Amino acid sequence: MPAGTLYRGREGMWSWVAHRVTGVLIFFFLFVHVLDTALVRVSPEDYDKVVSTYKTPIVSLLEYGLVAAILFHALNGLRIIAVDYWTQGPRYQKQMFWTVMGLWILLMIGAIYPVLGHAARVLFGS
């Protein structure tokens, strides 16, 4: 495969950037998650306080962003694997990118109620 084949065009460039950004965001989430979970051994009371802040609407929006990052990173990772290991991958990378985006949007629409339902009930009542 010629150099630059994988990331040719605007779609390739933005998917490359988004893949790295979502990977870094997921890493930082995991780092914070390990720290706050470790807090339960140090001070269960402080752990309970931290966990109670997670029930706010703002944190629900952040969780939705986390779902978005994980889904995009996973789907785009599968696309990258296909481009790298499928002999026809480079030829169809643009179509695969738009397929990934379509699947990502559909899955994000499906995640609205499960992830943001609690926040909507808090803000607007049940």
Side-chain angles (χ1 to χ4, degrees):
M1 171 175 9
T5 301
L6 180 58
Y7 301 111
R8 189 172 290 156
R10 268 186 295 172
E11 298 88 1
M13 179 188 67
W14 286 113
S15 70
W16 184 89
V17 169
H19 198 74
R20 269 83 188 151
V21 169
T22 57
V24 168
L25 291 173
I26 294 164
F27 170 79
F28 282 119
F29 163 77
L30 290 173
F31 180 73
V32 169
H33 180 62
V34 167
L35 288 178
D36 73 3
T37 303
L39 188 59
V40 76
R41 289 187 161 271
V42 176
S43 172
E45 297 82 22
D46 288 337
Y47 173 79
D48 289 339
K49 288 177 190 173
V50 169
V51 169
S52 70
T53 65
Y54 293 164
K55 296 176 178 147
T56 64
I58 290 183
V59 173
S60 291
L61 285 173
L62 292 173
E63 285 177 342
Y64 190 70
L66 176 64
V67 170
I70 291 170
L71 277 175
F72 177 81
H73 195 79
L75 293 170
N76 194 53
L78 292 173
R79 182 191 69 84
I80 290 170
I81 290 169
V83 170
D84 285 347
Y85 293 104
W86 179 36
T87 57
Q88 298 298 312
R91 178 181 298 167
Y92 295 108
Q93 66 177 324
K94 191 173 194 174
Q95 294 89 335
M96 287 189 291
F97 170 79
W98 289 110
T99 301
V100 162
M101 293 308 295
L103 278 171
W104 180 75
I105 289 168
L106 285 173
L107 291 169
M108 289 308 298
I109 290 169
I112 288 173
Y113 182 75
V115 178
L116 296 177
H118 173 72
R121 287 187 296 279
V122 168
L123 291 173
F124 305 113
S126 44

